[in-house]
Amino acid sequence: MKVVVADYEFPNLDPDREALKILPDLELIDAKCTNEEELISACADTDGLLNQYNYITEKVIRSMKKCKVIATYGIGVDKIDVKAATECGIYVCNSPEYNEYEVCDHTVMMVLALSRQLVQLDRAIRAGKYGALKLKNRLYRPYGQIIGFIGFGRIARQIAKKLKIFGIEAVCYDPYLTDEECKAAGATKMEMEQVLACADYVSINVSLTEDTRHLVGENELKRMKPTAYLVNCGRGAIVDETALIKVLKEHRIAGAALDTFEREPIMPDHPLLSLDNVITTPHSAWYTWESMYSMQYVAARQVALVLQGEKPEHCINYDAVQKLSN
């Protein structure tokens, strides 16, 4: 039995080996793939595939003659052609719970940093501008402000709970939840336009799909208050970056805090990095030593379960594959 690790940036594959050790005589291949051709060559006879950054296209999927499962390191499966995988009877798995504390804390940190303009104050003092009154934007106390969530899943609910300690109330847009479910989790459900119009901070908390790509564009950004901030620790492509740059330059919104970008890594000459009303982190909201271990272990465990003939714990197309196979 053979499992290919297409690519990874972790220090080692020890967590993967720990999860996969239940499979006897397993060959674990560190393929270090960087493109479609390398993937096709490395994965032709693999039984399972683990992937971090490569795009697992239809061409790659149909070239794999034995593969039963593809697992991604992380939550999003936007780099995998799920439709093609399903048609080929391949389970697509992820590790959805590995970073819920980390992304929550990172988002809270960004909201508070924006609220106190922490990064801007640091930049000012390094430039010889001493004193809070030299800031371009006014500071407002968090108490009584509103955070608006686009998507109100597990992580967003944690964020709302933690920010309530600072007196920040929550509203949300989530078409998959009822008013009662949102209220029970600590937020008032609204339409997206209402969330954008009333929030002091708009937090992106939806997965990237074809339906959510550029969900927040120029029209949506212009609905935000001029004193409001956008926070994105989700996927970069949910926000139209060109539109975001435009409204930031025009000071139609107060600023943004971004952990993700449409193209990663973001280049040093990117227009976003020249704006003084933007703070950035390098897609690091997920990261702690504990979350990294969990990400690897859980993704590899899904592969192990499928190859053992058992039901995976985290599979986004399980029912569809089962239906095809019956």
Side-chain angles (χ1 to χ4, degrees):
M1 196 170 290
K2 179 178 177 179
V3 172
V4 169
V5 180
D7 68 311
Y8 66 95
E9 64 173 351
F10 316 121
N12 55 59
L13 292 175
D14 290 349
D16 305 67
R17 292 189 177 92
E18 180 67 22
L20 292 164
K21 69 181 183 181
I22 61 174
L23 300 172
D25 303 319
L26 175 73
E27 183 182 11
L28 185 63
I29 306 298
D30 179 2
K32 297 183 174 65
C33 299
T34 60
N35 56 53
E36 193 176 58
E37 289 71 26
E38 291 175 357
L39 283 164
I40 290 170
S41 175
C43 301
D45 62 345
T46 192
D47 297 282
L49 175 62
L50 284 155
N51 181 71
Q52 188 168 18
Y53 293 126
N54 281 285
Y55 282 89
I56 311 302
T57 63
E58 180 178 4
K59 186 177 179 181
V60 172
I61 289 167
R62 296 195 184 283
S63 73
M64 298 189 292
K65 304 307 180 186
K66 295 171 54 186
C67 189
K68 297 180 179 65
V69 55
I70 301 169
T72 185
Y73 292 117
I75 301 172
V77 294
D78 46 286
K79 291 183 172 66
I80 303 170
D81 190 326
V82 178
K83 181 176 181 291
T86 302
E87 290 172 353
C88 292
I90 299 172
Y91 295 108
V92 176
C93 300
N94 62 356
S95 44
E97 299 174 358
Y98 77 98
N99 66 349
E100 58 183 316
Y101 302 112
E102 287 76 9
V103 175
C104 170
D105 292 345
H106 200 92
T107 305
V108 169
M109 175 195 72
M110 283 186 151
V111 169
L112 296 177
L114 290 169
S115 171
R116 296 302 302 164
Q117 293 189 49
L118 187 67
V119 174
Q120 287 79 3
L121 286 167
D122 177 74
R123 290 171 182 166
I125 201 169
R126 292 171 188 272
K129 298 175 183 178
Y130 198 87
L133 296 181
K134 291 183 168 50
L135 287 170
K136 291 182 180 179
N137 293 335
R138 295 176 180 177
L139 287 181
Y140 295 96
R141 63 179 55 147
Y143 187 87
Q145 290 190 318
I146 295 172
I147 182 164
F149 294 97
I150 307 301
F152 199 54
R154 184 178 61 253
I155 293 175
R157 296 177 192 193
Q158 285 190 49
I159 296 166
K161 183 177 180 180
K162 290 187 177 182
L163 286 176
K164 191 170 181 62
I165 296 170
F166 296 90
I168 298 176
E169 299 298 322
V171 299
C172 69
Y173 165 72
D174 194 317
Y176 300 103
L177 299 176
T178 65
D179 292 3
E180 292 73 21
E181 287 171 324
C182 293
K183 184 177 180 180
T188 301
K189 182 178 178 180
M190 295 180 173
E191 294 301 318
M192 185 170 170
E193 294 79 7
Q194 295 172 298
V195 170
L196 294 166
C198 77
D200 297 288
Y201 309 92
V202 173
S203 178
I204 304 299
N205 293 92
V206 293
S207 299
L208 179 61
T209 66
E210 285 308 310
D211 291 333
T212 61
R213 185 177 297 275
H214 286 190
L215 178 66
V216 179
E218 186 172 355
N219 290 335
E220 288 73 27
L221 291 166
K222 285 183 175 180
R223 291 181 183 273
M224 292 171 61
K225 298 190 293 188
T227 55
Y229 295 93
L230 180 78
V231 181
N232 191 1
C233 291
R235 282 287 192 264
I238 294 165
V239 179
D240 183 338
E241 221 164 71
T242 301
L244 178 60
I245 292 165
K246 181 180 179 182
V247 298
L248 286 167
K249 284 183 174 180
E250 294 173 353
H251 296 281
R252 297 291 297 267
I253 64 175
L258 309 170
D259 184 58
T260 56
F261 310 92
E262 285 205 55
R263 292 187 179 181
E264 296 180 352
I266 189 170
M267 294 293 104
D269 61 350
H270 194 285
L272 279 170
L273 301 184
S274 67
L275 301 176
D276 60 7
N277 55 350
V278 176
I279 60 176
T280 60
T281 50
H283 203 150
S284 58
W286 66 273
Y287 174 70
T288 60
W289 192 258
E290 294 91 343
S291 67
M292 182 170 63
Y293 184 96
S294 178
M295 180 203 295
Q296 292 179 253
Y297 183 89
V298 172
R301 176 170 167 76
Q302 306 319 299
V303 172
L305 288 171
V306 170
L307 297 186
Q308 258 201 331
E310 298 180 28
K311 182 179 179 179
E313 299 154 331
H314 306 294
C315 181
I316 68 160
N317 65 341
Y318 182 80
D319 289 342
V321 171
Q322 286 287 299
K323 187 176 180 181
L324 282 175
S325 61
N326 291 333

